[in-house]
Amino acid sequence: MTRLSVNINKIATLRNARGGNNPNVLAVARDAEIFGAQGITVHPRPDERHIRYQDVRDIRPLISTEFNIEGNPIPSFVELVLEVKPTQVTLVPDGHDQITSNHGWDTLENKAQLTDVCRTFREAGIRTSIFVDADPRMVAGAKTCGADRVELYTEPYAAGYQADREAAIAPFVAAAEEARRVGLGLNAGHDLSLENLHYYHEQIPWTDEVSIGHALICDALYLGLRDTIRQYLKALQ
């Protein structure tokens, strides 16, 4: 079964636009779980422009499903993850001023750093996933770094889906097969949506987890959060 982890960063973006606590990020995390989400994902950045470090601390005791914290493993992020001890940490190579993640790790060039970070989290009992492009070499490199999983950066698939979905999915199937060959768990995320999720899952059904935020929250503006989560779960059946 492929699990749906709901990224609630956009809820925090909306809250922060006006100050105060509306919408309530903690309530949305709890409700997403009640509505069927099998995981909650957050991606705190150093400027805290959406999810804040304190949000991460506050969410942890409120949910019973998987908790996934994404981010660049700078010292403050590593300290936060070790304090909160989520189910999973996803290492993402984003700069402090990036609007959103736009590439995966070069696991060969950054092997020493990633190996050290994976070891740190493994010793703390935290599953570690490395965010990579759909390149079998990067997947194999993640294995040598000591990762438990990789998360495939799926924006290129989403961008090419309408024009030629078979061509768009091909490199992801190759990367996913490499993950399976070397014994890595497999996640996916970025720009997956109700339009393209079912086909992705149909072609790579051994995906362990998809993390979806932007499209899901946009859909929820029209469909409501409960029905939106149900539709994403249906797409994964």
Side-chain angles (χ1 to χ4, degrees), residues 64-127:
S64 58
T65 190
E66 287 199 0
F67 192 29
N68 173 45
I69 305 177
E70 300 179 342
N72 196 325
I74 60 175
S76 60
F77 177 84
V78 173
E79 291 173 6
L80 177 68
V81 173
L82 292 175
E83 174 191 345
V84 173
K85 288 186 170 56
T87 315
Q88 175 176 268
V89 57
T90 301
L91 308 181
V92 183
D94 54 354
H96 71 280
D97 57 350
Q98 278 185 232
I99 295 176
T100 187
S101 307
N102 59 16
H103 65 282
W105 285 96
D106 184 328
T107 56
L108 306 179
E109 182 176 325
N110 297 282
K111 180 179 178 180
Q113 177 192 3
L114 292 171
T115 299
D116 286 344
V117 174
C118 287
R119 181 185 304 113
T120 296
F121 290 137
R122 183 171 61 251
E123 290 174 351
I126 302 167
R127 186 173 71 227

Side-chain angles (χ1 to χ4, degrees), residues 16-228:
N16 295 353
R18 287 287 298 269
N21 195 35
N22 187 26
N24 186 315
V25 171
L26 306 185
V28 171
R30 287 195 305 266
D31 288 342
E33 182 179 76
I34 291 169
F35 296 157
Q38 296 136 333
I40 299 296
T41 291
V42 293
H43 189 148
R45 287 183 166 87
D47 62 7
E48 299 193 322
R49 64 181 180 270
H50 33 62
I51 286 290
R52 301 168 181 154
Y53 276 35
Q54 190 57 47
D55 292 330
V56 179
R57 297 183 180 99
D58 292 341
I59 290 169
R60 185 67 182 101
L62 296 180
I63 61 172
S64 58
T65 190
E66 287 199 0
F67 192 29
N68 173 45
I69 305 177
E70 300 179 342
N72 196 325
I74 60 175
S76 60
F77 177 84
V78 173
E79 291 173 6
L80 177 68
V81 173
L82 292 175
E83 174 191 345
V84 173
K85 288 186 170 56
T87 315
Q88 175 176 268
V89 57
T90 301
L91 308 181
V92 183
D94 54 354
H96 71 280
D97 57 350
Q98 278 185 232
I99 295 176
T100 187
S101 307
N102 59 16
H103 65 282
W105 285 96
D106 184 328
T107 56
L108 306 179
E109 182 176 325
N110 297 282
K111 180 179 178 180
Q113 177 192 3
L114 292 171
T115 299
D116 286 344
V117 174
C118 287
R119 181 185 304 113
T120 296
F121 290 137
R122 183 171 61 251
E123 290 174 351
I126 302 167
R127 186 173 71 227
T128 304
S129 177
I130 298 180
F131 193 67
V132 296
D133 297 323
D135 181 340
R137 297 177 307 132
M138 298 301 109
V139 173
K143 176 68 174 181
T144 66
C145 293
D148 301 296
R149 292 186 182 183
V150 288
E151 179 175 329
L152 298 183
Y153 168 54
T154 49
E155 190 277 335
Y157 162 72
Y161 176 82
Q162 285 192 334
D164 188 340
R165 68 181 189 175
E166 289 82 7
I169 196 66
F172 291 87
V173 172
E177 288 176 341
E178 179 66 9
R180 184 162 60 175
R181 186 188 72 81
V182 300
L184 283 173
L186 183 65
N187 298 340
H190 207 91
D191 285 355
L192 294 174
S193 68
L194 287 176
E195 177 186 24
N196 59 46
L197 178 60
H198 180 72
Y199 182 72
Y200 184 94
H201 183 253
E202 184 179 63
Q203 300 303 306
I204 312 175
W206 63 93
T207 302
D208 291 299
E209 174 185 293
V210 293
S211 175
I212 305 178
H214 184 79
L216 189 150
I217 299 304
C218 289
D219 289 333
L221 293 175
Y222 291 91
L223 304 174
L225 186 60
R226 184 196 305 268
D227 287 346
T228 297

